[in-house]
Amino acid sequence: GGGDGWGDHTDDKHFDSGDSNHFDKISQSYARELKLIDLVFVIATIPRTYELDTTYDSKHSAFVDKTFTKVSDLVSLAWRALETMFLHNSANEDYFARKKNWITITISLVSDPIGAAVAFGKLINNNADLLRTYVSRPIIQEFKNLIKRKGLQSRLLSFFATICTCKEKAILSNQEAVLTELWLDEASRNQTLFTILENNDMTKATKITSLLQPVPEIFLGKECVSEGFKEVLLDWSSIDFLSDFKIDGKSKCSVQQLCWVLEPELLCEATTGKKWDDVQKGFAPILDSDGNVLGMSPENIEFNQRWDLAQYFKIQLDLFSALCFGRSYASIDALSKAIPFQVLVALAISKNLPRSIREASVRVIHRLYVDRYPHSPHCGRPALPDLIWKTDELRKIELATKAARTEEGAFPSFSLPSDNDLNKSTDPFYSITSHTKFFLLRCLIQGVFDDFGGIQEYSPSQRPANGLVCSVINLLSDLMSFGFFSTKDKIDLACRPMNRLLDGRTDVVPYEGSGNNALQNYGGKDTKRRKASLSQNKVTPIVAGGGGGGS
């Protein structure tokens, strides 16, 4: 159930190719040269050509216009085809842009969930010239107003995240424009974004069950180790469009209560106390006396609404990370005041949340708290010294010795001089100036790797899990570069399980006819889940001990 936003079921439900990044440049060239793009665009713009009403009734998951309903799947498929035709192909992107009024027509169709909004976002995301030409403050304001009028649709919110970057580079002007329109404008923020809160009821706090040893004296979020992480809540009471939407009679609930629907097979029973199979029985449609379908059951309508809102919250987290990408300090300063470090860690470590939410939370931690001043790649850029001190106490440490494995500072590590002004800061983020600052993130990384046990499933249903792994690895990469892994043992502990995951020879794929838990490896033999062994699989670790051959 569910689609790509509040009432966006047509965007994703029927035409998911399995890999949104799959494209073929030769086929793309044929599509352009044979005018196939022109033909598909004609199909995609049928609603405008024939003046069809594309208004979507989110509560009943149906288009209002019965005539358009008959062709809605075809129109959505046409927009998906256009996305694939110009994906990562600048020649096709320019071809599309040169066509008279095509982009203007596309923009005119973004208000309803037929696929135009997503296609427009992908068209400009990879082309800096188009981004500069067609994304302006009026366009940003129009998308903001569409959310206010049409409701919390993730396809509209994702547009803002899309325009913040291009080809893995931050677009600072767009980041600041989006920040101003959606966040600094309090009235707009209250109408378009969930408010993230902490529950002060400590009886619902979650304590960390396993910590890496030894536990350092000082680190960010240390109070959460003894007291536990407070429950994270979402509040939508200020959003007029959701005035009728309640969970347990309230316009506020925990993230788990809202978002479990993104992975119901895993989280339904833990959250609701009911088995997912039993919950699905309530989704049967309402029938008349002759057996004709009258509509969806109230349980199904509520589930779809909750799915749409959960997906919107996930896109909201994606937007936060996009706003901060590339060390955009205006966004970092504004968001860090509203979203504490421990809140994001609580979301990232929780096994009772969908992995897509955990992945998005890890990315926000990365951009909002890790990739920023005073952290520098390689523990600071090389520079000519202003002063030189001579000492006779230098000593050599062999990497294979115990000192290198356990002694703090044996490897380059993050630190600031004692006379640095940040030491006087009242903000713990700045005043903690040692390499143990992100101890909780080390625990998070280790926990995610250990949960997989060296095995990944090769299946479209495992995209959230794979996304979580990728976000954690990216975080790990920067933490190492910034000097927060100061000994060989710490690096070994993180890298060895990562090697097993990335190796691929222990990946498994589900096969039909043997139940959900049946897995098969690529060699054709049945296998059960087990923790992979480096020695059994002959994998050379990144950091080899003693006489190993790794690097």
Side-chain angles (χ1 to χ4, degrees):
D4 192 26
W6 183 277
D8 290 351
H9 304 283
T10 55
D11 277 357
D12 270 332
K13 188 176 181 182
H14 303 295
F15 306 115
D16 190 346
S17 63
D19 184 359
S20 60
N21 292 320
H22 180 72
F23 61 97
D24 176 356
K25 285 193 175 294
I26 296 177
S27 298
Q28 288 176 326
S29 297
Y30 282 138
R32 181 181 70 253
E33 294 166 1
L34 298 176
K35 305 294 184 182
L36 181 59
I37 295 178
D38 300 60
L39 176 60
V40 175
F41 186 77
V42 170
I43 299 173
T45 55
I46 285 175
R48 181 183 172 94
T49 303
Y50 294 96
E51 298 181 347
L52 300 178
D53 184 6
T54 58
T55 302
Y56 192 80
D57 182 357
S58 58
K59 290 187 177 180
H60 296 90
S61 297
F63 289 99
V64 173
D65 189 331
K66 301 302 180 185
T67 301
F68 178 68
T69 299
K70 297 177 181 178
V71 297
S72 61
D73 284 352
L74 178 63
V75 170
S76 295
L77 180 58
W79 284 112
R80 280 295 184 95
L82 286 172
E83 291 175 32
T84 306
M85 288 174 183
F86 56 64
L87 186 65
H88 301 304
N89 190 313
S90 58
N92 283 11
E93 291 167 349
D94 293 337
Y95 177 86
F96 190 98
R98 287 196 306 268
K99 287 291 184 175
K100 186 177 180 180
N101 295 328
W102 274 23
I103 290 186
T104 303
I105 292 171
T106 301
I107 293 174
S108 71
L109 293 171
V110 301
S111 62
D112 291 305
I114 61 176
V118 178
F120 177 61
K122 291 187 176 180
L123 173 68
I124 62 177
N125 178 245
N126 199 49
N127 193 309
D129 293 334
L130 295 182
L131 197 61
R132 285 191 293 266
T133 302
Y134 293 102
V135 175
S136 59
R137 185 60 70 93
I139 288 291
I140 292 174
Q141 291 172 340
E142 175 61 20
F143 269 81
K144 179 183 72 173
N145 292 332
L146 282 173
I147 295 177
K148 292 180 180 180
R149 294 199 307 268
K150 298 288 184 177
L152 307 192
Q153 300 185 15
S154 59
R155 63 190 177 85
L156 299 176
L157 190 65
S158 65
F159 168 78
F160 296 108
T162 297
I163 65 174
C164 287
T165 62
C166 182
K167 295 183 177 179
E168 298 300 317
K169 293 184 178 180
I171 308 297
L172 184 61
S173 58
N174 287 349
Q175 288 175 319
E176 293 184 349
V178 173
L179 179 73
T180 299
E181 293 294 335
L182 285 187
W183 186 265
L184 299 182
D185 180 351
E186 186 176 356
S188 294
R189 182 174 76 237
N190 290 338
Q191 290 296 320
T192 58
L193 300 175
F194 287 104
T195 301
I196 302 174
L197 305 169
E198 287 183 289
N199 188 351
N200 291 322
D201 183 358
M202 297 306 295
T203 62
K204 296 186 178 181
T206 303
K207 290 193 175 183
I208 300 179
T209 55
S210 59
L211 286 172
L212 296 175
Q213 299 297 328
V215 178
E217 290 288 333
I218 301 174
F219 56 91
L220 203 58
K222 183 177 181 180
E223 67 280 2
C224 298
V225 172
S226 56
E227 300 173 4
F229 288 96
K230 294 181 180 179
E231 183 181 45
V232 183
L233 305 177
L234 297 179
D235 189 312
W236 59 91
S237 57
S238 63
I239 302 176
D240 293 340
F241 189 83
L242 298 181
S243 59
D244 295 331
F245 181 78
K246 310 287 183 182
I247 293 181
D248 294 336
K250 299 178 181 179
S251 296
K252 179 169 65 176
C253 71
S254 69
V255 176
Q256 180 182 351
Q257 283 179 291
L258 178 68
C259 295
W260 70 267
V261 295
L262 296 178
E263 290 192 70
E265 297 88 351
L266 296 176
L267 303 174
C268 180
E269 188 170 2
T271 305
T272 67
K274 302 176 183 178
K275 293 186 177 180
W276 173 233
D277 290 340
D278 294 334
V279 171
Q280 286 181 294
K281 294 176 183 178
F283 293 171
I286 300 174
L287 307 176
D288 62 14
S289 56
D290 297 325
N292 299 316
V293 177
L294 296 178
M296 299 171 63
S297 67
E299 293 83 1
N300 200 356
I301 292 174
E302 181 186 355
F303 179 88
N304 286 339
Q305 290 178 339
R306 193 177 296 203
W307 195 99
D308 293 332
L309 289 176
Q311 182 67 10
Y312 188 90
F313 174 62
K314 189 263 182 189
I315 299 298
Q316 179 175 321
L317 293 175
D318 290 341
L319 173 61
F320 290 161
S321 61
L323 285 172
C324 300
F325 183 83
R327 301 196 172 197
S328 177
Y329 284 107
S331 299
I332 289 174
D333 181 64
L335 294 176
S336 60
K337 293 176 181 177
I339 311 173
F341 173 76
Q342 67 269 16
V343 167
L344 294 170
V345 175
L347 294 177
I349 67 171
S350 176
K351 297 180 182 179
N352 291 323
L353 290 180
R355 288 163 293 188
S356 60
I357 298 295
R358 296 177 65 192
E359 172 200 352
S361 302
V362 170
R363 286 203 303 270
V364 180
I365 293 172
H366 189 173
R367 300 304 171 193
L368 186 57
Y369 285 100
V370 175
D371 188 14
R372 60 176 287 188
Y373 177 81
H375 314 141
S376 298
H378 311 301
C379 303
R381 294 187 178 92
L384 291 175
D386 295 319
L387 295 172
I388 296 178
W389 286 267
K390 181 180 177 182
T391 179
D392 296 324
E393 297 181 1
L394 294 176
R395 61 192 180 91
K396 180 180 178 182
I397 298 179
E398 297 289 345
L399 292 182
T401 64
K402 182 178 179 181
R405 293 197 304 269
T406 61
E407 185 176 322
E408 299 289 357
F411 279 56
S413 58
F414 172 78
S415 64
L416 292 176
S418 58
D419 60 347
N420 190 290
D421 289 341
L422 291 182
N423 289 291
K424 303 174 185 177
S425 174
T426 57
D427 184 347
F429 176 82
Y430 292 113
S431 61
I432 298 176
T433 58
S434 74
H435 54 80
T436 62
K437 180 177 185 176
F438 290 121
F439 172 72
L440 287 180
L441 297 187
R442 285 186 53 222
C443 295
L444 163 66
I445 291 168
Q446 201 65 42
V448 170
F449 287 157
D450 289 345
D451 287 344
F452 281 87
I455 298 176
Q456 289 196 83
E457 289 184 33
Y458 187 80
S459 167
S461 65
Q462 294 303 307
R463 286 184 194 174
N466 296 335
L468 176 60
V469 170
C470 288
S471 65
V472 166
I473 290 175
N474 288 332
L475 176 63
L476 172 62
S477 175
D478 268 1
L479 286 173
M480 285 192 176
S481 177
F482 298 156
F484 293 105
F485 282 74
S486 56
T487 67
K488 183 175 178 293
D489 276 357
K490 291 180 181 179
I491 296 174
D492 272 347
L493 192 63
C495 287
R496 290 183 184 278
M498 180 185 71
N499 292 340
R500 289 193 288 268
L501 282 174
L502 297 181
D503 176 72
R505 283 173 287 181
T506 56
D507 286 357
V508 290
V509 292
Y511 63 90
E512 297 180 1
S514 300
N516 293 332
N517 294 324
L519 301 169
Q520 190 176 44
N521 64 14
Y522 294 119
K525 297 180 181 180
D526 293 346
T527 182
K528 295 181 180 179
R529 286 186 175 275
R530 61 182 175 80
K531 188 171 183 179
S533 165
L534 288 178
S535 59
Q536 291 172 346
N537 291 287
K538 299 180 180 179
V539 178
T540 303
I542 290 177
V543 180
S551 59

Coordinates of all heavy atoms in Angstrom, one line a residue, residues 219-267:
F219 N 32.1 12.4 25.7 CA 31.6 12.2 24.3 C 30.3 12.9 24.2 O 29.6 13.1 25.2 CB 31.6 10.8 23.9 CG 30.7 9.9 24.8 CD1 29.4 9.7 24.5 CD2 31.3 9.2 25.8 CE1 28.6 8.8 25.3 CE2 30.6 8.4 26.7 CZ 29.2 8.2 26.4
L220 N 29.9 13.2 23.0 CA 28.7 13.9 22.8 C 27.5 13.0 23.1 O 27.4 11.9 22.6 CB 28.6 14.4 21.3 CG 27.7 15.6 21.0 CD1 28.1 16.8 21.8 CD2 27.8 15.9 19.5
G221 N 26.5 13.5 23.9 CA 25.3 12.7 24.2 C 25.6 11.7 25.3 O 24.8 10.7 25.4
K222 N 26.6 12.0 26.2 CA 26.9 11.0 27.2 C 25.7 10.8 28.2 O 25.6 9.7 28.7 CB 28.1 11.5 28.0 CG 28.6 10.6 29.1 CD 29.9 11.1 29.8 CE 30.3 10.1 30.8 NZ 31.6 10.6 31.5
E223 N 24.9 11.8 28.4 CA 23.8 11.7 29.4 C 22.8 10.6 28.9 O 22.1 10.0 29.7 CB 23.1 13.0 29.5 CG 22.4 13.6 28.3 CD 23.3 14.2 27.3 OE1 24.5 14.3 27.6 OE2 22.8 14.7 26.3
C224 N 22.8 10.3 27.6 CA 21.8 9.3 27.1 C 22.2 7.9 27.4 O 21.4 7.0 27.4 CB 21.7 9.5 25.6 SG 21.0 11.1 25.0
V225 N 23.5 7.7 27.8 CA 23.9 6.3 28.1 C 23.4 5.9 29.5 O 22.9 4.8 29.7 CB 25.5 6.3 28.1 CG1 26.0 5.0 28.7 CG2 26.0 6.5 26.8
S226 N 23.4 6.9 30.4 CA 22.8 6.5 31.7 C 21.3 6.7 31.8 O 20.6 5.9 32.5 CB 23.5 7.4 32.8 OG 23.4 8.8 32.5
E227 N 20.8 7.8 31.2 CA 19.4 8.1 31.3 C 18.5 7.4 30.2 O 17.3 7.2 30.4 CB 19.2 9.6 31.3 CG 19.9 10.3 32.4 CD 19.8 11.8 32.3 OE1 19.1 12.3 31.4 OE2 20.5 12.5 33.1
G228 N 19.1 7.1 29.1 CA 18.4 6.6 28.0 C 18.0 7.7 27.0 O 18.0 8.9 27.3
F229 N 17.8 7.3 25.7 CA 17.3 8.2 24.7 C 15.8 8.5 24.8 O 15.0 7.5 24.9 CB 17.6 7.7 23.3 CG 19.0 7.7 22.9 CD1 19.8 6.5 23.1 CD2 19.6 8.8 22.4 CE1 21.2 6.5 22.7 CE2 21.0 8.8 22.0 CZ 21.7 7.7 22.2
K230 N 15.5 9.7 24.9 CA 14.0 10.1 25.0 C 13.3 9.6 23.7 O 13.9 9.7 22.6 CB 13.9 11.6 25.2 CG 14.4 12.1 26.5 CD 14.2 13.6 26.7 CE 14.7 14.1 28.0 NZ 14.5 15.6 28.1
E231 N 12.0 9.3 23.9 CA 11.2 8.9 22.7 C 11.0 10.1 21.8 O 10.8 11.3 22.3 CB 9.8 8.4 23.2 CG 8.9 8.0 22.1 CD 7.6 7.6 22.7 OE1 7.0 8.3 23.5 OE2 7.0 6.5 22.3
V232 N 11.2 9.9 20.5 CA 11.0 11.0 19.6 C 9.6 11.1 19.1 O 9.0 10.1 18.6 CB 12.0 10.9 18.4 CG1 11.9 12.0 17.4 CG2 13.4 10.7 18.9
L233 N 9.0 12.3 19.1 CA 7.6 12.5 18.7 C 7.5 13.4 17.5 O 8.4 14.2 17.2 CB 6.9 13.2 19.8 CG 6.9 12.5 21.2 CD1 6.1 13.4 22.2 CD2 6.3 11.1 21.1
L234 N 6.5 13.2 16.7 CA 6.1 14.1 15.6 C 4.8 14.8 15.9 O 3.9 14.1 16.4 CB 6.0 13.3 14.3 CG 7.3 12.6 13.8 CD1 7.0 11.8 12.5 CD2 8.4 13.5 13.6
D235 N 4.8 16.1 15.6 CA 3.6 16.9 15.9 C 3.1 17.6 14.6 O 4.0 18.2 13.9 CB 3.9 17.9 17.0 CG 2.7 18.7 17.5 OD1 1.9 19.1 16.6 OD2 2.5 18.8 18.7
W236 N 1.9 17.4 14.3 CA 1.3 18.0 13.1 C 0.1 18.9 13.4 O -0.7 19.2 12.5 CB 1.0 17.0 12.0 CG 0.0 16.0 12.4 CD1 -1.4 16.0 12.3 CD2 0.2 14.7 13.1 NE1 -2.0 14.9 12.8 CE2 -1.0 14.1 13.3 CE3 1.4 14.1 13.5 CZ2 -1.1 12.8 13.9 CZ3 1.3 12.8 14.1 CH2 0.0 12.2 14.3
S237 N 0.0 19.3 14.6 CA -1.2 20.1 15.1 C -1.3 21.4 14.4 O -2.4 22.0 14.2 CB -1.2 20.3 16.6 OG 0.0 20.9 17.0
S238 N -0.2 22.0 13.9 CA -0.2 23.3 13.2 C -0.5 23.2 11.7 O -0.7 24.2 11.1 CB 1.2 24.0 13.4 OG 2.2 23.2 12.8
I239 N -0.6 22.0 11.2 CA -0.8 21.8 9.7 C -2.3 21.7 9.5 O -3.0 20.7 9.8 CB -0.1 20.5 9.2 CG1 1.4 20.6 9.5 CG2 -0.3 20.4 7.7 CD1 2.2 19.4 9.1
D240 N -2.8 22.7 8.9 CA -4.3 22.8 8.6 C -4.8 21.6 7.8 O -5.9 21.1 8.1 CB -4.7 24.1 7.9 CG -4.4 25.3 8.8 OD1 -4.4 25.1 10.0 OD2 -4.3 26.4 8.3
F241 N -4.0 21.2 6.8 CA -4.5 20.1 5.9 C -4.7 18.8 6.7 O -5.5 17.9 6.3 CB -3.5 19.9 4.8 CG -3.9 18.9 3.8 CD1 -4.7 19.4 2.7 CD2 -3.6 17.6 3.8 CE1 -5.1 18.5 1.7 CE2 -4.0 16.7 2.8 CZ -4.8 17.2 1.8
L242 N -4.0 18.6 7.9 CA -4.1 17.4 8.6 C -5.0 17.6 9.9 O -4.9 16.8 10.8 CB -2.7 16.9 9.1 CG -1.7 16.6 7.9 CD1 -0.4 16.1 8.5 CD2 -2.3 15.5 7.0
S243 N -5.8 18.6 9.9 CA -6.6 18.8 11.1 C -7.5 17.6 11.4 O -7.9 17.4 12.6 CB -7.5 20.1 10.9 OG -8.3 19.9 9.7
D244 N -7.9 16.8 10.4 CA -8.8 15.7 10.7 C -8.1 14.4 10.9 O -8.7 13.4 11.2 CB -9.8 15.5 9.5 CG -10.7 16.7 9.4 OD1 -11.0 17.3 10.4 OD2 -11.2 17.0 8.2
F245 N -6.7 14.4 10.7 CA -6.0 13.2 10.8 C -5.5 13.1 12.3 O -4.8 13.9 12.8 CB -4.8 13.2 9.9 CG -4.0 11.9 9.9 CD1 -4.4 10.8 9.3 CD2 -2.8 11.9 10.6 CE1 -3.6 9.6 9.4 CE2 -2.0 10.8 10.7 CZ -2.5 9.6 10.1
K246 N -5.8 12.0 12.9 CA -5.5 11.7 14.3 C -4.9 10.3 14.4 O -5.3 9.4 13.7 CB -6.6 11.9 15.2 CG -7.4 13.2 15.1 CD -6.7 14.4 15.6 CE -7.6 15.6 15.5 NZ -6.8 16.8 15.9
I247 N -4.0 10.1 15.4 CA -3.6 8.8 15.8 C -3.8 8.7 17.3 O -3.3 9.5 18.1 CB -2.1 8.6 15.5 CG1 -1.9 8.5 14.0 CG2 -1.6 7.3 16.1 CD1 -0.4 8.3 13.5
D248 N -4.7 7.7 17.7 CA -5.1 7.6 19.1 C -5.7 8.9 19.6 O -5.6 9.3 20.7 CB -3.9 7.2 20.0 CG -3.4 5.8 19.6 OD1 -4.2 5.0 19.1 OD2 -2.2 5.5 19.9
G249 N -6.5 9.6 18.6 CA -7.2 10.8 19.0 C -6.3 12.0 19.1 O -6.8 13.1 19.6
K250 N -5.0 12.0 18.8 CA -4.1 13.1 18.9 C -3.5 13.5 17.6 O -3.3 12.7 16.7 CB -3.1 12.8 20.0 CG -3.6 12.5 21.4 CD -2.5 12.1 22.3 CE -3.0 11.8 23.7 NZ -1.9 11.4 24.6
S251 N -3.0 14.7 17.6 CA -2.3 15.2 16.4 C -0.8 15.1 16.7 O 0.0 16.0 16.3 CB -2.7 16.7 16.1 OG -4.0 16.7 15.7
K252 N -0.4 14.1 17.5 CA 1.0 13.9 17.9 C 1.2 12.5 18.2 O 0.3 11.8 18.8 CB 1.3 14.8 19.0 CG 2.8 14.7 19.6 CD 3.1 15.8 20.6 CE 2.3 15.6 21.8 NZ 2.7 16.6 22.8
C253 N 2.3 11.9 17.8 CA 2.6 10.5 18.1 C 4.1 10.3 18.0 O 4.8 11.1 17.6 CB 1.8 9.5 17.2 SG 2.4 9.5 15.5
S254 N 4.5 9.1 18.4 CA 5.9 8.7 18.3 C 6.2 8.4 16.8 O 5.3 8.1 16.0 CB 6.3 7.5 19.1 OG 5.6 6.3 18.6
V255 N 7.5 8.6 16.4 CA 7.9 8.3 15.1 C 7.5 6.8 14.7 O 7.1 6.5 13.6 CB 9.4 8.5 14.9 CG1 9.8 8.1 13.5 CG2 9.7 10.0 15.1
Q256 N 7.7 5.9 15.7 CA 7.4 4.5 15.5 C 5.9 4.3 15.1 O 5.6 3.5 14.2 CB 7.8 3.7 16.7 CG 7.5 2.2 16.5 CD 7.9 1.4 17.8 OE1 8.5 1.9 18.7 NE2 7.5 0.1 17.8
Q257 N 5.1 5.0 15.9 CA 3.6 4.8 15.6 C 3.2 5.3 14.2 O 2.3 4.7 13.6 CB 2.8 5.6 16.7 CG 2.7 5.0 18.0 CD 2.0 5.9 19.0 OE1 2.4 7.0 19.4 NE2 0.8 5.4 19.3
L258 N 3.8 6.3 13.7 CA 3.5 6.8 12.4 C 4.2 6.0 11.3 O 3.6 5.6 10.3 CB 3.9 8.2 12.2 CG 3.6 8.9 10.8 CD1 2.1 9.0 10.6 CD2 4.3 10.2 10.7
C259 N 5.4 5.6 11.5 CA 6.3 5.1 10.4 C 6.4 3.6 10.3 O 7.0 3.1 9.3 CB 7.7 5.7 10.5 SG 7.7 7.5 10.3
W260 N 5.8 2.8 11.2 CA 5.9 1.4 11.1 C 5.3 0.9 9.8 O 5.7 -0.2 9.2 CB 5.2 0.7 12.2 CG 3.7 0.8 12.3 CD1 3.0 1.7 12.9 CD2 2.8 -0.1 11.6 NE1 1.6 1.5 12.7 CE2 1.5 0.4 11.9 CE3 2.9 -1.2 10.8 CZ2 0.3 -0.2 11.4 CZ3 1.8 -1.8 10.3 CH2 0.5 -1.3 10.6
V261 N 4.4 1.6 9.2 CA 3.7 1.2 7.9 C 4.7 1.1 6.8 O 4.3 0.5 5.7 CB 2.5 2.1 7.6 CG1 1.5 2.1 8.7 CG2 3.0 3.6 7.4
L262 N 5.8 1.7 6.8 CA 6.8 1.6 5.7 C 7.4 0.2 5.6 O 7.9 -0.2 4.5 CB 7.9 2.6 5.9 CG 7.4 4.1 5.8 CD1 8.6 5.0 6.0 CD2 6.7 4.4 4.5
E263 N 7.5 -0.5 6.7 CA 7.9 -1.9 6.7 C 7.0 -2.7 7.6 O 7.4 -3.2 8.7 CB 9.4 -2.0 7.2 CG 10.4 -1.5 6.2 CD 11.8 -1.8 6.6 OE1 12.1 -3.0 6.4 OE2 12.6 -0.9 7.0
P264 N 5.7 -2.9 7.2 CA 4.8 -3.5 8.1 C 5.1 -5.0 8.4 O 4.7 -5.5 9.5 CB 3.4 -3.4 7.3 CG 3.9 -3.2 5.9 CD 5.2 -2.5 5.9
E265 N 5.7 -5.7 7.5 CA 6.0 -7.1 7.8 C 6.9 -7.3 9.0 O 6.8 -8.3 9.7 CB 6.6 -7.8 6.5 CG 5.7 -7.8 5.3 CD 5.8 -6.6 4.5 OE1 6.5 -5.6 4.9 OE2 5.2 -6.5 3.4
L266 N 7.8 -6.3 9.1 CA 8.8 -6.4 10.2 C 8.3 -5.7 11.5 O 8.7 -6.2 12.6 CB 10.1 -5.8 9.8 CG 10.8 -6.4 8.6 CD1 12.1 -5.6 8.3 CD2 11.2 -7.9 9.0
L267 N 7.5 -4.7 11.4 CA 7.3 -3.8 12.5 C 5.8 -3.8 13.0 O 5.6 -3.2 14.1 CB 7.7 -2.3 12.2 CG 9.1 -2.2 11.7 CD1 9.4 -0.7 11.2 CD2 10.1 -2.5 12.8

